[in-house]
């Protein structure tokens, strides 16, 4: 029983340390994260636009070059976002483990502490964000893909319009 109490307290302390580390990283790297995400968005949009015209012209060397750059930029964003998502998911596993343990036969004082922890949990999340505007999470990839697609359609439509006479 004493070992279980020590493990639970250690788990809760580890969670708070993780939250503090993420908040400090957000404070320190918030501008860099925003710059990297915006830069990647612009690069992906531009290389995809260039790739479209290379395919249209049939220039095989340019298709391979632009395709490689496009995939490189995509890979860079996926690595960045997956790392952030892994940290967030690990932190969220803590609450799931505590929810399972709270239903077991524990000391009433310890149960009270765990309930207090679970009440604080939603207010202290371990999520990386870009200047607080949006979280860096897997859903960011979907949102970015949608925005890139929208901008590409708009740019291609304006490119294909015949000049007015």
């Amino acid at each position: 029983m004493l070992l279980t109490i020590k493990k639970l307290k250690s788990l809760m302390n580890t969670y708070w340390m993780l939250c503090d580390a993420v908040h400090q990283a957000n404070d320190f790297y918030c501008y860099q994260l925003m710059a990297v995400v915006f830069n990647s968005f612009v690069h992906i949009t531009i290389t995809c636009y260039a790739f479209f015209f290379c395919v249209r012209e049939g220039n095989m060397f340019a298709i391979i070059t632009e395709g490689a750059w496009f995939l490189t930029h995509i890979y860079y964003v996926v690595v960045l976002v997956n790392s952030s998502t892994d940290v967030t998911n690990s932190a969220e596993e803590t609450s799931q483990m505590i929810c399972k343990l709270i239903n077991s036969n524990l000391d009433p004082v310890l149960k009270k502490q765990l309930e207090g922890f679970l009440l604080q949990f939603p207010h202290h999340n371990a999520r990386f964000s870009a200047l607080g505007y949006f979280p860096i999470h897997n859903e960011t990839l979907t949102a970015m893909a949608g925005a890139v697609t929208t901008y590409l359609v708009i740019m291609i439509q304006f490119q294909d319009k015949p000049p007015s006479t």
Side-chain angles (χ1 to χ4, degrees), residues 23-138:
H23 289 294
Q24 287 178 4
N26 277 337
D27 289 342
F28 191 74
Y29 293 112
C30 61
Y31 292 104
Q32 289 90 339
L33 281 172
M34 183 62 135
V36 164
V37 171
F38 179 73
N39 185 31
S40 296
F41 171 74
V42 169
H43 274 92
I44 289 169
T45 305
I46 290 171
T47 54
C48 195
Y49 184 67
F51 180 77
F52 170 78
F53 282 107
C54 292
V55 169
R56 194 173 183 193
E57 293 172 5
N59 184 346
M60 207 53 170
F61 178 73
I63 289 172
I64 292 170
T65 304
E66 291 301 325
W69 277 115
F70 176 70
L71 292 175
T72 302
H73 292 301
I74 295 280
Y75 179 73
Y76 180 71
V77 172
V78 168
V79 167
L80 174 75
V81 170
N82 278 340
S83 300
S84 174
T85 302
D86 288 344
V87 170
T88 303
N89 290 343
S90 295
E92 289 174 357
E93 286 176 12
T94 304
S95 73
Q96 293 171 1
M97 290 185 336
I98 289 179
C99 282
K100 288 177 184 176
L101 291 173
I102 208 166
N103 294 326
S104 63
N105 293 332
L106 291 177
D107 182 45
V109 175
L110 183 59
K111 271 192 178 184
K112 202 79 148 158
Q113 286 179 343
L114 292 175
E115 288 171 357
F117 174 80
L118 288 175
L119 288 174
Q120 293 176 358
F121 185 81
H123 303 291
H124 298 280
N125 58 7
R127 278 194 177 215
F128 290 98
S129 68
L131 277 176
Y133 289 118
F134 56 90
I136 308 290
H137 203 265
N138 280 342

